[in-house]
Amino acid sequence: MVNIQKAAIIGCGFVGMSTAFSLIHNGLFSELVLLDADARKAEGEAMDLSHGRPYSKTMKIYAGDYSDIGDCALIIVAAGANQKPEEKRLDLVQRNVAILKNIVPQIVRQNFEGILMVVSNPVDILTYAALKISGYPKERVIGSGTVLDSARFRYLLSEHLHVDSRSVHAMIIGEHGDSELAVWSGANVSGINIHDFCEIRGFFDHKKEMERIYFQVRDSAYRIIERKGATYYGVAMAINRIAQSIIRDEHSVLPISSLMEGEYGMEGLCISVPTIVAGNGADKVLEIPLGEEESKRLKESARELKEVIGKIGM
């Protein structure tokens, strides 16, 4: 039986623990289990987080093992090798698929019936691998996708336009990586087309600014890794946002990674596109209108992912 108030995080690195910290402050769960290949590290992290409970939401936080997670509503897989400077997300694939092949069967053996969210990179490939290894229904295996990329996109647009980022509606879709694309055709500020709003703010060289902002979004992780070695705060907040939509059954539209079964002419892979996220996970993939160039680039992104899937034999 699923305990809607219980979650687990597998992998107590920077991403996993930043996610735990974010979840504690959101108050979504009353019980959080931490698992790591280094059990003592998981214990230490649980102790450290628990000591702040008097100043946060009430939550039982403890280090556990796979026998503790069968009744979780949500399991977040953050375990994996870190991305190194100059390394692309897809370079991580072989190492992290091997890690996933060890983790997922142990989850399955617990008769887990909740939602499995993969956040390790390359997230689209690993989400597909987790789906195949687990045999779970496609709705129940999702990846954090381009939810963070879309937040970066909205933030950079808001800075450019001097407007609240919460009023900016724009998405990055495709691979969470170098082949991702910005959906400029649907971008707007509170219903005003993005190009029209740019002109309201005195910006008319749209193509130049579009390229500048897109490359800033796409290369954000590399720039952060060069400076501090890893990215974790932004993705933790993105994971928290997805978890909130699942646990509260919000039916929010978020660009998570999930299995394609003909949508946008794609199948046999997981990729990030706008999806209704609810209590059952990936409730419905939405096929939004795309420009001709955007459709072409999405197919190119899918083709790159399919090539990698072929190489790992999934």
Side-chain angles (χ1 to χ4, degrees), residues 169-217:
H169 306 283
M171 282 191 184
I172 299 290
I173 64 172
E175 174 210 354
H176 173 55
D178 294 339
S179 67
E180 65 187 22
L181 62 133
V183 185
W184 288 102
S185 62
N188 69 86
V189 178
S190 294
I192 302 172
N193 177 274
I194 197 70
H195 299 306
D196 293 338
F197 201 92
C198 283
E199 292 182 4
I200 291 171
R201 286 303 205 186
F203 301 111
F204 296 90
D205 193 350
H206 301 314
K207 184 175 181 180
K208 179 182 177 181
E209 291 304 316
M210 286 166 66
E211 288 181 354
R212 180 184 67 82
I213 291 171
Y214 166 72
F215 285 119
Q216 274 192 276
V217 173

Side-chain angles (χ1 to χ4, degrees), residues 285-304:
V285 172
L286 302 177
E287 294 192 67
I288 62 171
L290 297 175
E292 184 177 341
E293 181 62 24
E294 291 166 349
S295 294
K296 179 183 176 183
R297 290 190 61 190
L298 180 59
K299 287 182 172 59
E300 289 171 354
S301 186
R303 187 159 50 248
E304 288 192 23

Side-chain angles (χ1 to χ4, degrees), residues 254-273:
L254 300 167
I256 62 168
S257 184
S258 63
L259 181 68
M260 296 295 105
E261 294 184 314
E263 297 91 350
Y264 299 93
M266 302 182 294
E267 59 183 350
L269 79 160
C270 290
I271 196 168
S272 304
V273 293

Side-chain angles (χ1 to χ4, degrees), residues 18-36:
S18 297
T19 299
F21 189 77
S22 184
L23 290 175
I24 289 168
H25 283 278
N26 199 356
L28 277 176
F29 301 100
S30 60
E31 187 173 351
L32 182 64
V33 191
L34 306 180
L35 287 80
D36 194 87

Side-chain angles (χ1 to χ4, degrees), residues 110-179:
Q110 310 310 314
N111 298 314
F112 171 65
E113 296 180 356
I115 307 301
L116 180 62
M117 188 197 310
V118 178
V119 304
S120 307
N121 279 319
V123 68
D124 303 288
I125 301 297
L126 296 184
T127 302
Y128 185 79
L131 179 67
K132 290 298 179 180
I133 296 166
S134 68
Y136 291 150
K138 66 184 181 69
E139 294 84 5
R140 288 178 50 209
V141 182
I142 64 174
S144 52
T146 53
V147 176
L148 171 58
D149 310 74
S150 296
R152 289 168 171 161
F153 189 29
R154 293 170 60 192
Y155 162 72
L156 290 169
L157 283 170
S158 75
E159 289 291 289
H160 178 60
L161 298 171
H162 303 289
V163 67
D164 188 341
S165 59
R166 293 171 297 182
S167 297
V168 178
H169 306 283
M171 282 191 184
I172 299 290
I173 64 172
E175 174 210 354
H176 173 55
D178 294 339
S179 67

